[in-house]
Amino acid sequence: MGNLCSIALEYLGQDQIRHIDMISPIKRGTAEVLHASDGGVLLHETKSGAYMMSVTTHEIGEVLLRNLPSNGLFVCHQDFMLEDFKAKMGQADILENYQGAYLGKELLKTPNNMDFQPLSMEDLAIVHANYDMDLGEEYLAGRIADGELFGGYENGEMIGFIGIHAEGSMGMLQVFDNHQGKGFGAGLYASITNHQLNRGLVPFGQVNVNNSTSLHIAHKLGFIMGDHRVYWLS
C-alpha cells in the first residue's frame, strides 16, 4: 500500500465509524487517493465513481473542491462543507444518512425459516418493481451481475432482498408488503452482515435519517451507528 494510502488511513482511522465508507475502498483497492494529509482526505471510489471527502476545516475543503468536476456523485462527511458542495454542483439531489458498522467477529443469528441466496437476472424485474428508491434498472442489473444482490426466501417464495452497493456499503433492503412484521428485515440484514464477515470485510451501511425501522434493526443487531450525517449528492 502506497504512502498516500497510509496517510489517508491514519487520518480516517481517527473516526472509524464516520469514515468506514472511505476506509473500506482503500483496503479493497477500489480507491484512488487524490489527497491525504492530517487535514483531510479526498478519494475517488472507482467502482461507483463517487468522490468522497472528509476534512478538518472549511478552508482545506474549499481548496480540495476546486479540483473536482461540477457534476457526478459526491459524498460529503462534514456538515460545514455541505453548502459548498451544493454550490459546486448547482441544483443537487441529496441523501442524508447515518452511517454504522458491525465491528464484532461473531456471525449473527439468522431466521431458520428463511433461505438466503444470490439473485439472477431473471429476478431483475421484481427487484426493480419493488425497490422504493429509484436507482435505475441498469444499476440493479450491475449489482446482480456482480453477485452482490441477494434474495430471502420462505418456502421457496421470495420475501424480499438486500445487497451490497458498488462502493461497498450494505443496503437496498426491501421486504415485500405481505411479509413484513415477521422479522425478515432483521434476518436479511443479519444475513448480508454474515456474508461480509465471511469475506473478511467489515460490514457497514448507511441508513436514511428518516428510516426509523432500519435504524432500529441496525441497533438491534449490534451495529455502532455514528451520530453524524453522511451526505450523498448527485
Side-chain angles (χ1 to χ4, degrees), residues 194-205:
N194 291 346
H195 174 71
Q196 294 295 78
L197 288 171
N198 286 331
R199 299 165 82 182
L201 301 173
V202 176
F204 75 96

Side-chain angles (χ1 to χ4, degrees), residues 26-45:
I26 292 175
K27 291 189 172 181
R28 291 198 328 267
T30 64
E32 177 189 4
V33 179
L34 304 176
H35 171 89
S37 69
D38 58 4
V41 173
L42 173 66
L43 63 81
H44 180 228
E45 202 288 310

Side-chain angles (χ1 to χ4, degrees), residues 50-219:
Y51 291 92
M52 301 179 173
M53 189 174 81
S54 175
V55 291
T56 56
T57 69
H58 184 258
E59 290 72 22
I60 294 173
E62 280 186 311
V63 172
L64 295 181
L65 272 179
R66 291 174 194 156
N67 297 317
L68 292 182
S70 58
N71 54 63
L73 188 60
F74 302 89
V75 186
C76 171
H77 286 76
Q78 280 79 32
D79 292 348
F80 61 76
M81 289 304 306
L82 183 59
E83 291 303 317
D84 292 81
F85 270 96
K86 289 162 65 176
K88 175 82 174 181
M89 301 178 66
Q91 194 68 25
D93 293 324
I94 302 174
L95 288 177
E96 299 184 24
N97 299 326
Y98 292 118
Q99 183 158 258
Y102 180 75
L103 302 181
K105 302 298 183 185
E106 303 243 347
L107 296 178
L108 299 176
K109 183 178 180 180
T110 57
N112 293 327
N113 61 331
M114 188 191 79
D115 294 322
F116 185 74
Q117 54 188 279
L119 297 180
S120 71
M121 286 299 175
E122 294 179 355
D123 303 305
L124 177 59
I126 191 170
V127 171
H128 188 240
N130 284 275
Y131 191 41
D132 58 12
M133 287 185 65
D134 185 16
L135 295 179
E137 190 171 6
E138 182 179 355
Y139 180 83
L140 295 172
R143 297 292 78 220
I144 292 175
D146 285 349
E148 299 284 29
L149 200 52
F150 299 81
Y153 298 84
E154 183 186 32
N155 298 322
E157 179 186 358
M158 188 190 296
I159 55 88
F161 52 86
I162 195 169
I164 308 295
H165 283 291
E167 91 293 348
S169 67
M170 306 186 311
M172 297 173 280
L173 173 61
Q174 194 77 41
V175 178
F176 301 151
D177 290 344
N178 57 327
H179 291 287
Q180 293 185 4
K182 303 176 183 179
F184 286 130
L188 286 166
Y189 214 79
S191 296
I192 200 75
T193 298
N194 291 346
H195 174 71
Q196 294 295 78
L197 288 171
N198 286 331
R199 299 165 82 182
L201 301 173
V202 176
F204 75 96
Q206 296 171 358
V207 180
N208 187 276
V209 295
N210 297 315
N211 191 339
S212 58
T213 300
S214 290
L215 285 170
H216 174 74
I217 289 173
H219 284 294

